Amino acid sequence: MIGLGTMGRNFLLNVAEQGFTSVGFDIDAAKRGILHSEADGLPIDTANDLAEFVSKLAAPRSIMLLVPAGPIVDSVINDLLPHLSPGDLVIDGGNSFYLDTERREMLLNERGFEFLGVGVSGGEEGARRGASIMIGGSADVYERVRPIFEAASAKVNGEPCAAHVGSGSAGHFVKMVHNGIEYGMMQLIAETYDYMRRVLRMQNTELHRTFGEWNGGELSSFLIEITSIVLKKIDAETARPLVELILDTAGQKGTGKWTSQAAMDLGVPVPTIDSAVTMRQVSARRELRHQISARYDDIHATADLSRSRTSINELKDALYAAFVMTYVQGMSMLQAASAERNYGLDMVEIAKIWRGGCIIRSRLLETIREAYAANPGIDTLLLDDRFAAILLSRSRSLRKAVISFNENAVPSACMSSALAYFDAFRSATLPANLIQAQRDHFGAHTYQRIDKEGTFHTEDWDS
């Protein structure tokens, strides 16, 4: 393992606890020291430099990198190259951009080395106790390290949450879409929380209890669970709920933005994920928001809070339906990428390994797994009977919630986009005919007709 920060060190400790002998390296001697102190008799060694590190590994070597995505990965690989032998395997376990993964695979393969791009989800706890691991690249090469990854992964019903998901950069692409779904789900929860505070006037104790109750039902998921936990936390210094003291500017590392960009390239709509990325960008403009708020504060002052209220049960159903829409968008994107990039993605396997260890794990993923197992070639989960039943029974609550958000001037970019996505796809006709007419008028872009075959252009729109 190269990179002994929080993720690398904990993953290595996890691997060692499964009985695999390993060697760790980091240019920071202090991090090597922390690993030594935490190893406590486990079969882990360290090295002071790359030459010593490589010499301690039996050929053909398997070397995993858990370093920050971007130029640092390239730097480490370049430093490794002089020390490698033909057949050695380099594994990038960071949040790398999938096109960078393709470039690195080509570079190493041309020199006689193997490469795997691996997505790892679950944070520090997942790295230490069992993560969801998405492996891309050659299936034959993965077999060399499959026992290690399966042992170090989370388990659901005894099944490891680690799998070869597809060729080339598939592992990092799947992880990127996972993170996009994560963005959407987090923003949906935040919007729900905001409505509960502003409109339903719920206090933190009640909020904590409600999310805890929701986690015991169909909304059961890691993100709902930790929402309940963070809402319960009291700041020792002020005796106030800690969440109320946290600045309302959400950070991002770029994977959500990558998902939106890749979806646009594929021509796949993911409006809930797009909206989540946008809202993080809006949150970062805190000073500007305060200036605008002062200018338009009367909008909030005149909102009639008694006019439109959604009950807790309706809000729960709305959130569940919006979660479904977010998964649907992400899975549709994976299917499109698999076809265009020849990944050969196994949607059943992806849903299965996401059920444990990862940030977006939820009870709903078992339903997704069942849907793809029953019909692997289904165009969208919206056509599955299981999801149709969920949405037919809950879309009314989603619609009512969106109306209430809007009438009470509470922003609901993700909740609204989820409903709009559903409404658009359930519409047999859309007003795109008008758009095509406009395009033909100003740019002679042509159009097709519903009553005859062919491509048409109108010269005399004004006559």
Side-chain angles (χ1 to χ4, degrees):
M1 177 68 73
I2 296 179
L4 301 178
T6 300
M7 287 293 291
R9 186 177 73 254
N10 280 290
F11 195 92
L12 200 61
L13 291 167
N14 181 356
V15 166
E17 282 189 343
Q18 309 307 319
F20 296 96
T21 301
S22 55
V23 181
F25 172 71
D26 197 292
I27 58 173
D28 186 341
K31 291 180 180 177
R32 300 198 299 268
I34 293 172
L35 177 64
H36 262 303
S37 64
E38 293 183 353
D40 193 25
L42 291 171
I44 297 178
D45 196 1
T46 59
N48 294 317
D49 55 49
L50 275 180
E52 181 187 3
F53 168 76
V54 172
S55 72
K56 290 186 174 185
L57 296 169
R61 304 170 184 88
S62 296
I63 300 171
M64 184 169 180
L65 282 56
L66 267 172
V67 299
I72 293 178
V73 178
D74 292 313
S75 177
V76 173
I77 290 174
N78 287 333
D79 289 344
L80 260 179
L81 286 175
H83 305 285
L84 298 179
S85 302
D88 284 352
L89 167 62
V90 176
I91 303 164
D92 177 12
N95 266 337
S96 288
F97 185 48
Y98 70 99
L99 294 179
D100 289 339
T101 299
E102 293 179 4
R103 172 175 54 79
R104 290 162 186 152
E105 182 180 40
M106 184 179 299
L107 170 76
L108 286 159
N109 288 171
E110 287 175 348
R111 287 162 172 75
F113 312 126
E114 304 294 351
F115 182 80
L116 295 175
V118 175
V120 180
S121 177
E124 177 182 355
E125 182 65 18
R128 187 68 181 86
R129 304 298 175 192
S132 176
I133 308 174
M134 297 144 262
I135 298 93
S138 165
D140 291 339
V141 173
Y142 172 55
E143 284 300 311
R144 288 171 47 177
V145 289
R146 180 177 58 80
I148 299 174
F149 282 117
E150 288 188 350
S153 72
K155 310 294 184 299
V156 174
N157 301 324
E159 297 177 316
C161 294
H164 178 263
V165 296
S167 62
S169 59
H172 281 139
F173 193 95
V174 171
K175 177 56 164 53
M176 176 189 73
V177 174
H178 163 287
N179 284 19
I181 294 171
E182 176 186 311
Y183 270 54
M185 293 175 70
M186 292 178 74
Q187 180 63 28
L188 285 166
I189 293 171
E191 290 175 5
T192 302
Y193 156 78
D194 200 22
Y195 182 92
M196 294 160 84
R197 284 190 313 154
R198 289 209 220 180
V199 180
L200 301 183
R201 307 295 191 188
M202 295 171 67
Q203 300 300 309
N204 264 62
T205 301
E206 192 176 2
L207 290 167
H208 148 70
R209 185 173 63 251
T210 300
F211 278 102
E213 290 171 355
W214 286 358
N215 190 53
E218 62 188 9
L219 273 171
S220 176
S221 60
F222 174 72
L223 287 170
I224 293 291
E225 177 188 356
I226 66 168
T227 300
S228 176
I229 292 171
V230 300
L231 287 171
K232 184 181 181 180
K233 181 67 176 179
I234 301 299
D235 177 56
E237 190 175 332
T238 64
R240 291 176 59 188
L242 179 58
V243 71
E244 294 180 358
L245 300 171
I246 296 176
L247 199 67
D248 61 334
T249 56
Q252 54 181 320
K253 293 185 176 180
T255 48
K257 180 183 69 175
W258 294 347
T259 308
S260 291
Q261 290 172 333
M264 289 183 184
D265 290 339
L266 289 166
V268 178
V270 291
T272 307
I273 294 170
D274 295 340
S275 297
V277 175
T278 295
M279 288 308 294
R280 290 205 188 186
Q281 293 167 339
V282 171
S283 78
R285 306 294 300 274
R286 190 169 187 268
E287 183 177 341
L288 180 61
R289 285 190 287 114
H290 277 248
Q291 293 174 19
I292 295 173
S293 175
R295 182 76 175 266
Y296 294 96
D297 193 54
D298 62 316
I299 291 177
H300 296 275
T302 58
D304 183 358
L305 299 182
S306 64
R307 178 171 52 187
S308 176
R309 291 168 65 91
T310 298
S311 71
I312 284 295
N313 282 336
E314 289 171 328
L315 199 59
K316 178 190 71 175
D317 285 348
L319 181 58
Y320 188 57
F323 270 11
V324 168
M325 287 298 119
T326 309
Y327 279 117
V328 166
Q329 292 168 36
M331 302 312 269
S332 294
M333 183 175 171
L334 289 178
Q335 288 177 271
S338 184
E340 181 162 318
R341 306 188 69 81
N342 298 313
Y343 281 147
L345 297 182
D346 185 334
M347 303 302 291
V348 176
E349 199 70 15
I350 291 169
K352 187 175 79 171
I353 64 174
W354 280 355
R355 294 177 305 166
C358 75
I359 304 301
I360 64 169
R361 62 184 183 265
S362 70
R363 183 175 296 181
L364 190 55
L365 279 161
E366 176 59 23
T367 309
I368 294 174
R369 187 198 66 78
E370 292 171 356
Y372 282 116
N375 188 354
I378 195 168
D379 287 335
T380 170
L381 291 171
L382 293 177
L383 293 174
D384 179 77
D385 290 343
R386 300 162 188 78
F387 286 91
I390 291 171
L391 294 170
L392 285 168
S393 63
R394 293 166 180 81
S395 60
R396 187 178 298 275
S397 292
L398 177 58
R399 193 174 307 283
K400 183 176 179 181
V402 169
I403 291 170
S404 187
F405 270 92
N406 291 338
E407 288 189 341
N408 289 290
V410 177
S412 61
C414 278
M415 198 74 78
S416 297
S417 71
L419 178 61
Y421 178 87
F422 177 61
D423 282 343
F425 270 103
R426 71 174 189 82
S427 296
T429 58
L430 289 170
N433 55 330
L434 177 59
I435 294 171
Q436 282 303 97
Q438 292 169 332
R439 294 179 73 239
D440 190 63
H441 183 287
F442 67 67
H445 292 294
T446 73
Y447 55 86
Q448 294 172 301
R449 297 173 60 110
I450 62 173
D451 57 346
K452 50 187 171 181
E453 295 293 324
T455 301
F456 301 89
H457 166 58
T458 297
E459 294 283 356
D460 55 346
W461 281 103
D462 297 322
S463 65

PDB file of all heavy atoms in Angstrom, residues 411-439:
ATOM      1  N   PRO A 411     -36.442  26.361  -0.632  1.00  0.00           N
ATOM      2  CA  PRO A 411     -35.830  25.820  -1.847  1.00  0.00           C
ATOM      3  C   PRO A 411     -35.879  24.293  -1.894  1.00  0.00           C
ATOM      4  O   PRO A 411     -35.619  23.620  -0.901  1.00  0.00           O
ATOM      5  CB  PRO A 411     -34.382  26.331  -1.781  1.00  0.00           C
ATOM      6  CG  PRO A 411     -34.153  26.708  -0.355  1.00  0.00           C
ATOM      7  CD  PRO A 411     -35.482  27.126   0.186  1.00  0.00           C
ATOM      8  N   SER A 412     -36.208  23.777  -3.067  1.00  0.00           N
ATOM      9  CA  SER A 412     -36.350  22.317  -3.213  1.00  0.00           C
ATOM     10  C   SER A 412     -35.863  21.886  -4.589  1.00  0.00           C
ATOM     11  O   SER A 412     -36.565  21.207  -5.331  1.00  0.00           O
ATOM     12  CB  SER A 412     -37.810  21.906  -3.033  1.00  0.00           C
ATOM     13  OG  SER A 412     -38.639  22.523  -4.009  1.00  0.00           O
ATOM     14  N   ALA A 413     -34.650  22.279  -4.927  1.00  0.00           N
ATOM     15  CA  ALA A 413     -34.122  21.998  -6.265  1.00  0.00           C
ATOM     16  C   ALA A 413     -34.145  20.512  -6.591  1.00  0.00           C
ATOM     17  O   ALA A 413     -34.544  20.114  -7.689  1.00  0.00           O
ATOM     18  CB  ALA A 413     -32.701  22.542  -6.381  1.00  0.00           C
ATOM     19  N   CYS A 414     -33.712  19.682  -5.633  1.00  0.00           N
ATOM     20  CA  CYS A 414     -33.647  18.241  -5.906  1.00  0.00           C
ATOM     21  C   CYS A 414     -35.027  17.593  -5.845  1.00  0.00           C
ATOM     22  O   CYS A 414     -35.359  16.750  -6.682  1.00  0.00           O
ATOM     23  CB  CYS A 414     -32.692  17.564  -4.929  1.00  0.00           C
ATOM     24  SG  CYS A 414     -30.971  17.702  -5.427  1.00  0.00           S
ATOM     25  N   MET A 415     -35.826  17.952  -4.863  1.00  0.00           N
ATOM     26  CA  MET A 415     -37.165  17.381  -4.751  1.00  0.00           C
ATOM     27  C   MET A 415     -37.981  17.735  -5.996  1.00  0.00           C
ATOM     28  O   MET A 415     -38.677  16.886  -6.565  1.00  0.00           O
ATOM     29  CB  MET A 415     -37.847  17.902  -3.490  1.00  0.00           C
ATOM     30  CG  MET A 415     -39.036  17.095  -3.018  1.00  0.00           C
ATOM     31  SD  MET A 415     -38.623  15.517  -2.237  1.00  0.00           S
ATOM     32  CE  MET A 415     -38.098  16.032  -0.611  1.00  0.00           C
ATOM     33  N   SER A 416     -37.896  18.976  -6.431  1.00  0.00           N
ATOM     34  CA  SER A 416     -38.641  19.416  -7.604  1.00  0.00           C
ATOM     35  C   SER A 416     -38.138  18.738  -8.872  1.00  0.00           C
ATOM     36  O   SER A 416     -38.930  18.354  -9.745  1.00  0.00           O
ATOM     37  CB  SER A 416     -38.540  20.933  -7.752  1.00  0.00           C
ATOM     38  OG  SER A 416     -39.117  21.595  -6.651  1.00  0.00           O
ATOM     39  N   SER A 417     -36.827  18.579  -8.995  1.00  0.00           N
ATOM     40  CA  SER A 417     -36.266  17.955 -10.194  1.00  0.00           C
ATOM     41  C   SER A 417     -36.644  16.475 -10.272  1.00  0.00           C
ATOM     42  O   SER A 417     -36.844  15.943 -11.372  1.00  0.00           O
ATOM     43  CB  SER A 417     -34.743  18.101 -10.216  1.00  0.00           C
ATOM     44  OG  SER A 417     -34.138  17.292  -9.229  1.00  0.00           O
ATOM     45  N   ALA A 418     -36.739  15.824  -9.119  1.00  0.00           N
ATOM     46  CA  ALA A 418     -37.151  14.417  -9.110  1.00  0.00           C
ATOM     47  C   ALA A 418     -38.569  14.274  -9.647  1.00  0.00           C
ATOM     48  O   ALA A 418     -38.873  13.370 -10.441  1.00  0.00           O
ATOM     49  CB  ALA A 418     -37.050  13.854  -7.697  1.00  0.00           C
ATOM     50  N   LEU A 419     -39.448  15.179  -9.220  1.00  0.00           N
ATOM     51  CA  LEU A 419     -40.829  15.147  -9.706  1.00  0.00           C
ATOM     52  C   LEU A 419     -40.885  15.480 -11.193  1.00  0.00           C
ATOM     53  O   LEU A 419     -41.604  14.820 -11.958  1.00  0.00           O
ATOM     54  CB  LEU A 419     -41.687  16.130  -8.914  1.00  0.00           C
ATOM     55  CG  LEU A 419     -43.154  16.248  -9.354  1.00  0.00           C
ATOM     56  CD1 LEU A 419     -43.877  14.916  -9.215  1.00  0.00           C
ATOM     57  CD2 LEU A 419     -43.868  17.340  -8.557  1.00  0.00           C
ATOM     58  N   ALA A 420     -40.132  16.476 -11.616  1.00  0.00           N
ATOM     59  CA  ALA A 420     -40.129  16.870 -13.024  1.00  0.00           C
ATOM     60  C   ALA A 420     -39.606  15.740 -13.911  1.00  0.00           C
ATOM     61  O   ALA A 420     -40.117  15.511 -15.015  1.00  0.00           O
ATOM     62  CB  ALA A 420     -39.286  18.128 -13.211  1.00  0.00           C
ATOM     63  N   TYR A 421     -38.604  15.028 -13.443  1.00  0.00           N
ATOM     64  CA  TYR A 421     -38.058  13.876 -14.178  1.00  0.00           C
ATOM     65  C   TYR A 421     -39.131  12.812 -14.361  1.00  0.00           C
ATOM     66  O   TYR A 421     -39.321  12.274 -15.466  1.00  0.00           O
ATOM     67  CB  TYR A 421     -36.862  13.322 -13.409  1.00  0.00           C
ATOM     68  CG  TYR A 421     -36.198  12.108 -14.005  1.00  0.00           C
ATOM     69  CD1 TYR A 421     -35.197  12.249 -14.966  1.00  0.00           C
ATOM     70  CD2 TYR A 421     -36.539  10.825 -13.598  1.00  0.00           C
ATOM     71  CE1 TYR A 421     -34.556  11.138 -15.506  1.00  0.00           C
ATOM     72  CE2 TYR A 421     -35.908   9.706 -14.127  1.00  0.00           C
ATOM     73  CZ  TYR A 421     -34.920   9.868 -15.081  1.00  0.00           C
ATOM     74  OH  TYR A 421     -34.289   8.763 -15.611  1.00  0.00           O
ATOM     75  N   PHE A 422     -39.849  12.523 -13.284  1.00  0.00           N
ATOM     76  CA  PHE A 422     -40.921  11.528 -13.334  1.00  0.00           C
ATOM     77  C   PHE A 422     -42.020  11.982 -14.291  1.00  0.00           C
ATOM     78  O   PHE A 422     -42.483  11.214 -15.152  1.00  0.00           O
ATOM     79  CB  PHE A 422     -41.472  11.306 -11.925  1.00  0.00           C
ATOM     80  CG  PHE A 422     -42.632  10.352 -11.859  1.00  0.00           C
ATOM     81  CD1 PHE A 422     -42.494   9.037 -12.266  1.00  0.00           C
ATOM     82  CD2 PHE A 422     -43.863  10.769 -11.376  1.00  0.00           C
ATOM     83  CE1 PHE A 422     -43.564   8.149 -12.202  1.00  0.00           C
ATOM     84  CE2 PHE A 422     -44.929   9.895 -11.308  1.00  0.00           C
ATOM     85  CZ  PHE A 422     -44.790   8.584 -11.715  1.00  0.00           C
ATOM     86  N   ASP A 423     -42.443  13.229 -14.165  1.00  0.00           N
ATOM     87  CA  ASP A 423     -43.514  13.745 -15.020  1.00  0.00           C
ATOM     88  C   ASP A 423     -43.112  13.747 -16.489  1.00  0.00           C
ATOM     89  O   ASP A 423     -43.930  13.457 -17.372  1.00  0.00           O
ATOM     90  CB  ASP A 423     -43.904  15.162 -14.590  1.00  0.00           C
ATOM     91  CG  ASP A 423     -44.792  15.178 -13.345  1.00  0.00           C
ATOM     92  OD1 ASP A 423     -45.361  14.112 -13.017  1.00  0.00           O
ATOM     93  OD2 ASP A 423     -44.909  16.245 -12.714  1.00  0.00           O
ATOM     94  N   ALA A 424     -41.846  14.066 -16.761  1.00  0.00           N
ATOM     95  CA  ALA A 424     -41.387  14.104 -18.148  1.00  0.00           C
ATOM     96  C   ALA A 424     -41.410  12.720 -18.779  1.00  0.00           C
ATOM     97  O   ALA A 424     -41.888  12.537 -19.908  1.00  0.00           O
ATOM     98  CB  ALA A 424     -39.979  14.703 -18.216  1.00  0.00           C
ATOM     99  N   PHE A 425     -40.924  11.728 -18.037  1.00  0.00           N
ATOM    100  CA  PHE A 425     -40.860  10.389 -18.606  1.00  0.00           C
ATOM    101  C   PHE A 425     -42.214   9.683 -18.641  1.00  0.00           C
ATOM    102  O   PHE A 425     -42.394   8.744 -19.409  1.00  0.00           O
ATOM    103  CB  PHE A 425     -39.815   9.536 -17.871  1.00  0.00           C
ATOM    104  CG  PHE A 425     -38.445   9.646 -18.476  1.00  0.00           C
ATOM    105  CD1 PHE A 425     -37.469  10.424 -17.884  1.00  0.00           C
ATOM    106  CD2 PHE A 425     -38.144   9.001 -19.660  1.00  0.00           C
ATOM    107  CE1 PHE A 425     -36.206  10.549 -18.452  1.00  0.00           C
ATOM    108  CE2 PHE A 425     -36.887   9.113 -20.239  1.00  0.00           C
ATOM    109  CZ  PHE A 425     -35.918   9.889 -19.636  1.00  0.00           C
ATOM    110  N   ARG A 426     -43.152  10.133 -17.827  1.00  0.00           N
ATOM    111  CA  ARG A 426     -44.475   9.515 -17.901  1.00  0.00           C
ATOM    112  C   ARG A 426     -45.379  10.254 -18.892  1.00  0.00           C
ATOM    113  O   ARG A 426     -46.535   9.885 -19.080  1.00  0.00           O
ATOM    114  CB  ARG A 426     -45.137   9.473 -16.513  1.00  0.00           C
ATOM    115  CG  ARG A 426     -45.575  10.816 -15.990  1.00  0.00           C
ATOM    116  CD  ARG A 426     -46.351  10.736 -14.686  1.00  0.00           C
ATOM    117  NE  ARG A 426     -46.907  12.042 -14.360  1.00  0.00           N
ATOM    118  CZ  ARG A 426     -48.025  12.526 -14.875  1.00  0.00           C
ATOM    119  NH1 ARG A 426     -48.732  11.801 -15.724  1.00  0.00           N
ATOM    120  NH2 ARG A 426     -48.457  13.725 -14.539  1.00  0.00           N
ATOM    121  N   SER A 427     -44.836  11.278 -19.542  1.00  0.00           N
ATOM    122  CA  SER A 427     -45.600  12.033 -20.540  1.00  0.00           C
ATOM    123  C   SER A 427     -45.399  11.417 -21.921  1.00  0.00           C
ATOM    124  O   SER A 427     -44.274  11.353 -22.417  1.00  0.00           O
ATOM    125  CB  SER A 427     -45.158  13.502 -20.570  1.00  0.00           C
ATOM    126  OG  SER A 427     -45.440  14.139 -19.338  1.00  0.00           O
ATOM    127  N   ALA A 428     -46.491  10.971 -22.534  1.00  0.00           N
ATOM    128  CA  ALA A 428     -46.400  10.395 -23.876  1.00  0.00           C
ATOM    129  C   ALA A 428     -46.030  11.447 -24.909  1.00  0.00           C
ATOM    130  O   ALA A 428     -45.431  11.143 -25.937  1.00  0.00           O
ATOM    131  CB  ALA A 428     -47.724   9.726 -24.252  1.00  0.00           C
ATOM    132  N   THR A 429     -46.398  12.694 -24.634  1.00  0.00           N
ATOM    133  CA  THR A 429     -46.034  13.792 -25.530  1.00  0.00           C
ATOM    134  C   THR A 429     -45.371  14.906 -24.727  1.00  0.00           C
ATOM    135  O   THR A 429     -45.747  15.174 -23.586  1.00  0.00           O
ATOM    136  CB  THR A 429     -47.275  14.368 -26.244  1.00  0.00           C
ATOM    137  OG1 THR A 429     -48.211  14.826 -25.270  1.00  0.00           O
ATOM    138  CG2 THR A 429     -47.926  13.306 -27.114  1.00  0.00           C
ATOM    139  N   LEU A 430     -44.395  15.541 -25.348  1.00  0.00           N
ATOM    140  CA  LEU A 430     -43.682  16.662 -24.739  1.00  0.00           C
ATOM    141  C   LEU A 430     -43.685  17.841 -25.722  1.00  0.00           C
ATOM    142  O   LEU A 430     -43.853  17.642 -26.937  1.00  0.00           O
ATOM    143  CB  LEU A 430     -42.238  16.267 -24.398  1.00  0.00           C
ATOM    144  CG  LEU A 430     -42.050  15.286 -23.236  1.00  0.00           C
ATOM    145  CD1 LEU A 430     -40.600  14.809 -23.172  1.00  0.00           C
ATOM    146  CD2 LEU A 430     -42.460  15.918 -21.912  1.00  0.00           C
ATOM    147  N   PRO A 431     -43.469  19.061 -25.237  1.00  0.00           N
ATOM    148  CA  PRO A 431     -43.526  20.239 -26.122  1.00  0.00           C
ATOM    149  C   PRO A 431     -42.274  20.443 -26.964  1.00  0.00           C
ATOM    150  O   PRO A 431     -42.024  21.554 -27.445  1.00  0.00           O
ATOM    151  CB  PRO A 431     -43.729  21.384 -25.122  1.00  0.00           C
ATOM    152  CG  PRO A 431     -43.050  20.912 -23.880  1.00  0.00           C
ATOM    153  CD  PRO A 431     -43.322  19.437 -23.819  1.00  0.00           C
ATOM    154  N   ALA A 432     -41.487  19.376 -27.164  1.00  0.00           N
ATOM    155  CA  ALA A 432     -40.279  19.503 -27.977  1.00  0.00           C
ATOM    156  C   ALA A 432     -40.596  19.790 -29.437  1.00  0.00           C
ATOM    157  O   ALA A 432     -39.722  20.240 -30.195  1.00  0.00           O
ATOM    158  CB  ALA A 432     -39.436  18.239 -27.865  1.00  0.00           C
ATOM    159  N   ASN A 433     -41.849  19.547 -29.848  1.00  0.00           N
ATOM    160  CA  ASN A 433     -42.240  19.893 -31.216  1.00  0.00           C
ATOM    161  C   ASN A 433     -42.103  21.399 -31.449  1.00  0.00           C
ATOM    162  O   ASN A 433     -41.672  21.851 -32.513  1.00  0.00           O
ATOM    163  CB  ASN A 433     -43.659  19.413 -31.515  1.00  0.00           C
ATOM    164  CG  ASN A 433     -44.684  19.928 -30.505  1.00  0.00           C
ATOM    165  OD1 ASN A 433     -44.360  20.147 -29.336  1.00  0.00           O
ATOM    166  ND2 ASN A 433     -45.914  20.129 -30.938  1.00  0.00           N
ATOM    167  N   LEU A 434     -42.454  22.189 -30.438  1.00  0.00           N
ATOM    168  CA  LEU A 434     -42.310  23.642 -30.554  1.00  0.00           C
ATOM    169  C   LEU A 434     -40.839  24.033 -30.656  1.00  0.00           C
ATOM    170  O   LEU A 434     -40.463  24.914 -31.429  1.00  0.00           O
ATOM    171  CB  LEU A 434     -42.973  24.331 -29.360  1.00  0.00           C
ATOM    172  CG  LEU A 434     -42.827  25.859 -29.303  1.00  0.00           C
ATOM    173  CD1 LEU A 434     -43.428  26.511 -30.546  1.00  0.00           C
ATOM    174  CD2 LEU A 434     -43.470  26.409 -28.033  1.00  0.00           C
ATOM    175  N   ILE A 435     -39.993  23.356 -29.870  1.00  0.00           N
ATOM    176  CA  ILE A 435     -38.556  23.644 -29.917  1.00  0.00           C
ATOM    177  C   ILE A 435     -37.997  23.348 -31.304  1.00  0.00           C
ATOM    178  O   ILE A 435     -37.209  24.119 -31.858  1.00  0.00           O
ATOM    179  CB  ILE A 435     -37.812  22.834 -28.832  1.00  0.00           C
ATOM    180  CG1 ILE A 435     -38.236  23.296 -27.432  1.00  0.00           C
ATOM    181  CG2 ILE A 435     -36.296  22.941 -29.007  1.00  0.00           C
ATOM    182  CD1 ILE A 435     -37.717  22.426 -26.314  1.00  0.00           C
ATOM    183  N   GLN A 436     -38.428  22.229 -31.889  1.00  0.00           N
ATOM    184  CA  GLN A 436     -37.956  21.887 -33.228  1.00  0.00           C
ATOM    185  C   GLN A 436     -38.421  22.911 -34.264  1.00  0.00           C
ATOM    186  O   GLN A 436     -37.685  23.247 -35.192  1.00  0.00           O
ATOM    187  CB  GLN A 436     -38.429  20.486 -33.616  1.00  0.00           C
ATOM    188  CG  GLN A 436     -37.622  19.361 -32.989  1.00  0.00           C
ATOM    189  CD  GLN A 436     -36.152  19.463 -33.316  1.00  0.00           C
ATOM    190  OE1 GLN A 436     -35.352  19.975 -32.542  1.00  0.00           O
ATOM    191  NE2 GLN A 436     -35.777  18.986 -34.497  1.00  0.00           N
ATOM    192  N   ALA A 437     -39.654  23.405 -34.100  1.00  0.00           N
ATOM    193  CA  ALA A 437     -40.145  24.433 -35.009  1.00  0.00           C
ATOM    194  C   ALA A 437     -39.313  25.708 -34.876  1.00  0.00           C
ATOM    195  O   ALA A 437     -38.942  26.341 -35.878  1.00  0.00           O
ATOM    196  CB  ALA A 437     -41.613  24.726 -34.724  1.00  0.00           C
ATOM    197  N   GLN A 438     -39.002  26.103 -33.657  1.00  0.00           N
ATOM    198  CA  GLN A 438     -38.177  27.287 -33.421  1.00  0.00           C
ATOM    199  C   GLN A 438     -36.788  27.112 -34.045  1.00  0.00           C
ATOM    200  O   GLN A 438     -36.260  28.023 -34.677  1.00  0.00           O
ATOM    201  CB  GLN A 438     -38.042  27.545 -31.920  1.00  0.00           C
ATOM    202  CG  GLN A 438     -39.340  27.979 -31.244  1.00  0.00           C
ATOM    203  CD  GLN A 438     -39.215  27.966 -29.729  1.00  0.00           C
ATOM    204  OE1 GLN A 438     -38.437  27.197 -29.165  1.00  0.00           O
ATOM    205  NE2 GLN A 438     -39.986  28.823 -29.070  1.00  0.00           N
ATOM    206  N   ARG A 439     -36.199  25.920 -33.847  1.00  0.00           N
ATOM    207  CA  ARG A 439     -34.859  25.655 -34.384  1.00  0.00           C
ATOM    208  C   ARG A 439     -34.855  25.716 -35.906  1.00  0.00           C
ATOM    209  O   ARG A 439     -33.905  26.193 -36.521  1.00  0.00           O
ATOM    210  CB  ARG A 439     -34.362  24.282 -33.910  1.00  0.00           C
ATOM    211  CG  ARG A 439     -34.127  24.198 -32.402  1.00  0.00           C
ATOM    212  CD  ARG A 439     -33.654  22.807 -31.987  1.00  0.00           C
ATOM    213  NE  ARG A 439     -32.271  22.587 -32.411  1.00  0.00           N
ATOM    214  CZ  ARG A 439     -31.880  21.614 -33.223  1.00  0.00           C
ATOM    215  NH1 ARG A 439     -32.778  20.781 -33.738  1.00  0.00           N
ATOM    216  NH2 ARG A 439     -30.602  21.474 -33.535  1.00  0.00           N
TER     217      ARG A 439
END
